[in-house]
Amino acid sequence: MRLLTTVAALRCYLNKLRSESQLTFPEDLVADEISSWDRTAVGLVPTMGGLHQGHLNLIKRARQENSTVIVSIFVNPLQFGPNEDYARYPRTLEQDQKLCENAGVDAIFAPTPEVMGVPAKNIQESLITQVIPPSAMILGLCGRSRLGHFQGVATIVTKLLNLVQPDRAYFGQKDGQQLAIIQRLVTDLNLPVEIVACPTVREASGLAFSSRNQYLSATEKEQAAVLYRGLKKAEAAFKSGVHNSNQLIAVVKQEVAGVSTVLVEYIELVEPTTLMSLETIEEEGMLAIAARLGSTRLIDNIILRDRQPIIAIDGPAGAGKSTVARQVAAELGLVYLDTGAMYRAMTWLVVQKGVALDDECAIAELAHTCKIELTPSPDLKSPVRVWIDDVDITQEIRTVEVTSKVSAISAQSAVRQALVKQQQNWGKKGGLVAEGRDIGSHVFPDAEVKIFLTASVTERARRRQQDFQKQGQPEVSLEQLERDIAERDWKDSTRKVSPLQKAADAVELQTDGMNISEVAAQIINYFHQRLSQF
């Protein structure tokens, strides 16, 4: 692991990394997979040090999804007000280095304020160029008492994203206002990075991990847990049918009032992405709280969603995901979100328009302007009808020509971004069963049920051989099929776009020796168990 403290060293490290990786494509990699197989994916975890389990969870996620992980450690003077704790904020670089090394971090970027080009003073006194998010997002919640805080955050995060130019950057949901502002910043400034939101990590008491928890005594930590208890009681009220802001806030207030040492700064219900106040939750809301315990300021939040459940099924090729997902959806009366059909629809459109497979710019334009629709069908073998730009292409997407070209189209990041956005829009109302390689980890990270469906290479080879025999295709030996499947697993798990991965909270289901009905029955049983817990 490298410790980098200057911009020059960071740039040298990244330039060397990217130049070396350009020479490492396997010789047998076919042309249409080159854009999807990439060992240069860089994940950035921005921190202010004082690392704890919450940070380590971000690093773990970044380690799963990228070939290189960089952690920045920078106590940002621009986000501290004149009377805040900049001087005493935890600075534990030596300990942080050990934690990062044990977590598999490749490099730490730990600059001084001088290296970052910012003075050791708050943003309102600074003469440097600033990034100022929309006023409606920075004046509410924490912004009321921390004037200039989010300008300081946005300015330094923008500098870090420009310096590292990562493929992905990781932030925790605990800082819900900060997360929403950074997501908006990246969208508005067209920054080429994916912001990955990770669930809040908590101590056994429910207290959200924070670097400032170091300020608390053991007794104060116990008292601080009341914030989460209040949020959970509001969540229970929400699930029982209470969607009104005043009533939900009153539930939290009543619980927190039981601990007199906790002084509430605010309790508010807002829309999670715009941070606008909500009177009633229609789809989802973020119930946020800030309070002081002694001299320590604590924040927390919980997302409340009014939607039907989502079942996300991931797993390697040949595990039977599509067939199982169709049956589960049919038996539970949910919609089967055929993501594969969406990529086939895009491929059909590319072919129809006569666009070359390697013309990624033209394909990107098609992906972001076309309209794909999936409508239910009573036929279990083909449970959805597929439309693109109001044309029914349900049968056309299954042709040999489309099948032979779909991997090249689905590997392109612009296609992936456009279709994932459509999928997530459909997911707002829930009631879906979806399958793929990262449905539970990326597309629907908040899915109520996550399954990682797998089988041994030997079992999947046997199933594939049976399929070939039923289809009257030429005989292929089990040994060859096993080699092909093992190679496909490796390529799927190392590709830059939509890599194969098991979500941390997914249940792994090993299906060797099981038929489709048995697998579906296990998933449905687990689905009912999960719903009973909510």
Side-chain angles (χ1 to χ4, degrees), residues 57-300:
N57 191 59
L58 301 180
I59 293 169
K60 180 181 178 182
R61 175 79 179 269
R63 182 72 282 165
Q64 291 173 340
E65 298 180 354
N66 304 276
S67 60
T68 301
V69 175
I70 296 176
V71 172
S72 65
I73 297 178
F74 178 63
V75 183
N76 175 17
L78 298 183
Q79 67 186 71
F80 289 83
N83 301 313
E84 294 186 338
D85 58 344
Y86 175 69
R88 72 184 186 108
Y89 193 86
R91 290 167 171 82
T92 55
L93 183 57
E94 186 174 340
Q95 179 182 329
D96 293 345
Q97 284 182 258
K98 292 177 182 177
L99 291 172
C100 284
E101 189 159 16
N102 291 337
V105 171
D106 296 286
I108 293 174
F109 179 48
T112 63
E114 290 73 25
V115 167
M116 289 295 285
V118 299
K121 60 177 68 175
N122 67 71
I123 194 83
Q124 292 174 317
E125 299 177 10
S126 175
L127 298 178
I128 70 164
T129 300
Q130 301 175 27
V131 177
I132 304 177
S135 59
M137 299 187 76
I138 63 176
L139 296 179
L141 301 177
C142 291
R144 287 197 195 92
S145 62
R146 304 192 72 188
L147 296 178
H149 170 75
F150 290 110
Q151 291 99 307
V153 171
T155 298
I156 291 303
V157 167
T158 301
K159 287 173 75 74
L160 288 170
L161 294 178
N162 282 335
L163 285 168
V164 178
Q165 297 182 16
D167 296 273
R168 304 176 184 93
Y170 296 78
F171 295 86
Q173 179 62 51
K174 179 183 78 76
D175 298 299
Q177 185 174 15
Q178 172 181 278
L179 174 62
I181 287 169
I182 290 170
Q183 289 173 326
R184 178 68 175 269
L185 178 155
V186 165
T187 298
D188 288 353
L189 299 184
N190 300 110
L191 299 180
V193 59
E194 176 188 347
I195 300 301
V196 181
C198 298
T200 302
V201 182
R202 303 181 180 278
E203 299 185 12
S205 66
L207 175 64
F209 276 103
S210 168
S211 298
R212 288 188 169 93
N213 288 358
Q214 298 178 40
Y215 301 156
L216 302 173
S217 66
T219 299
E220 287 175 327
K221 279 192 175 184
E222 291 180 10
Q223 295 170 338
V226 74
L227 272 64
Y228 187 55
R229 288 203 305 273
L231 293 174
K232 289 297 286 183
K233 288 206 169 183
E235 181 183 48
F238 173 74
K239 289 178 178 176
S240 71
V242 177
H243 289 195
N244 176 266
S245 173
N246 291 334
Q247 291 175 284
L248 292 169
I249 290 171
V251 171
V252 184
K253 282 183 177 178
Q254 182 177 6
E255 180 67 21
V256 177
V259 181
S260 60
T261 54
V262 174
L263 303 178
V264 173
E265 183 178 302
Y266 69 74
I267 305 171
E268 293 189 39
L269 180 69
V270 299
E271 201 283 325
T273 57
T274 66
L275 304 179
M276 300 299 291
S277 293
L278 292 177
E279 293 186 6
T280 304
I281 298 177
E282 300 293 340
E283 292 184 349
E284 65 177 7
M286 180 173 73
L287 188 58
I289 184 171
R292 290 189 178 273
L293 185 55
S295 62
T296 305
R297 187 175 186 276
L298 302 168
I299 61 172
D300 204 347

Side-chain angles (χ1 to χ4, degrees), residues 231 340 416 429 435 439:
L231 293 174
R416 155 88 174 152
K429 297 196 175 192
E435 50 83 15
I439 296 294

